[in-house]
Amino acid sequence: MASIDQALIDEILAGQLDLLRFEAGVRRQVLGMLERLRRELRAQLAAEDLTTFNKTRLNALLREASMVIDNYYVQMQGTFEQSLTGMANAVVRHTAASLTEPMLLINLAVSLPTKTFMERLASNVLIMGAPSAEWWTKQSTDTAFKFSNAVRQGLLSGETNEQIVRRVVGNKTEAGIMQAARHNVRALVHSSIQAVASAARRETYAKNRDVVKGIRQHSTFDSHTS
């Protein structure tokens, strides 16, 4: 039994390495969209002299920027959830295959999670207590709030247009609010992928209770393990 357990662990670790490669690819794709948002906000701020804006013009600018931010986050969420669905199906297939590897000497007809479960998994799995979709909405709202606050604070402090732009997008020596947005997106991508993959594995094991007698935690230190 010990050899079977170890063989199964080895299979799971191999799948985890593939998962980390997948995560890196998705992260590049989503962060690329966030970078386009950063450039668009920079261009929007640099196009006019903010220091001459009255309250009406400023509020109009902030509303427009908020809509742009929301649109980008909706696109990021849609792209990411589509990738999550495909990833979850791949994890299920890999988990099922790990139960029927020839080296395990088990001849089984493995049951798979239902189509309904897989369709709902990506959007319904909880990430730190909330569905992934709610986290994307929260990050969009937070970014829009910080953007408005940065612009207003810059104007209140009598900063130049260039200084206000730097507050938002940053530069090589100063982090703007978009740096925090980048960090939050990276964390959400990582947490969501790992949570969905874990849920897909657990559901596959649950569908095969006649073979899987229990689940044991096996933690491997990586760049995100504390």
Side-chain angles (χ1 to χ4, degrees):
M1 181 62 69
S3 62
I4 291 179
D5 285 350
Q6 187 58 53
L8 183 56
I9 289 173
D10 290 343
E11 280 295 311
I12 292 173
L13 289 179
Q16 185 67 13
L17 289 175
D18 289 337
L19 198 62
L20 290 174
R21 296 187 186 99
F22 168 82
E23 178 186 325
V26 174
R27 188 170 59 243
R28 283 193 298 270
Q29 184 178 13
V30 175
L31 289 179
M33 299 173 73
L34 190 66
E35 173 61 19
R36 291 196 293 275
L37 169 60
R38 187 188 74 87
R39 292 176 181 175
E40 186 165 336
L41 291 176
R42 179 187 179 90
Q44 188 177 32
L45 291 175
E48 300 186 61
D49 184 1
L50 300 174
T51 61
T52 65
F53 273 25
N54 57 31
K55 183 176 180 179
T56 300
R57 290 184 67 194
L58 176 61
N59 288 338
L61 171 70
L62 297 180
R63 283 195 301 271
E64 182 179 350
S66 180
M67 292 175 62
V68 169
I69 291 170
D70 182 64
N71 182 57
Y72 268 93
Y73 272 88
V74 168
Q75 292 181 49
M76 284 188 283
Q77 178 186 344
T79 298
F80 181 60
E81 288 188 354
Q82 185 176 17
S83 298
L84 271 187
T85 301
M87 180 274 293
N89 282 298
V91 169
V92 164
R93 291 193 298 270
H94 180 267
T95 303
S98 70
L99 296 175
T100 57
E101 277 292 314
M103 64 185 299
L104 298 185
L105 303 179
I106 300 177
N107 185 15
L108 298 170
V110 176
S111 299
L112 300 178
T114 64
K115 181 179 179 181
T116 300
F117 176 86
M118 296 307 297
E119 288 175 346
R120 295 177 178 175
L121 179 60
S123 58
N124 289 349
V125 69
L126 296 184
I127 315 297
M128 293 177 285
S132 176
E134 290 188 13
W135 281 108
W136 284 104
T137 300
K138 181 179 184 300
Q139 289 198 12
S140 175
T141 302
D142 285 349
T143 301
F145 173 80
K146 290 176 181 177
F147 174 88
S148 297
N149 188 59
V151 173
R152 289 194 175 103
Q153 187 62 41
L155 291 174
L156 186 63
S157 301
E159 294 178 349
T160 65
N161 216 62
E162 182 180 353
Q163 289 174 317
I164 294 172
V165 171
R166 191 163 61 243
R167 271 180 175 269
V168 174
V169 301
N171 57 21
K172 293 182 179 180
T173 60
E174 182 179 344
I177 67 162
M178 295 305 295
Q179 183 61 31
R182 182 181 177 86
H183 171 77
N184 291 336
V185 165
R186 288 174 64 95
L188 181 55
V189 167
H190 175 74
S191 298
S192 298
I193 287 177
Q194 296 302 323
V196 169
S198 180
R201 290 194 199 99
R202 288 197 305 270
E203 183 67 11
T204 305
Y205 293 142
K207 289 293 182 180
N208 295 277
R209 291 187 180 91
D210 55 329
V211 177
V212 181
K213 295 182 179 180
I215 298 176
R216 182 176 65 193
Q217 175 83 10
H218 184 81
S219 298
T220 301
F221 289 108
D222 59 23
S223 60
H224 295 82
T225 304
S226 61

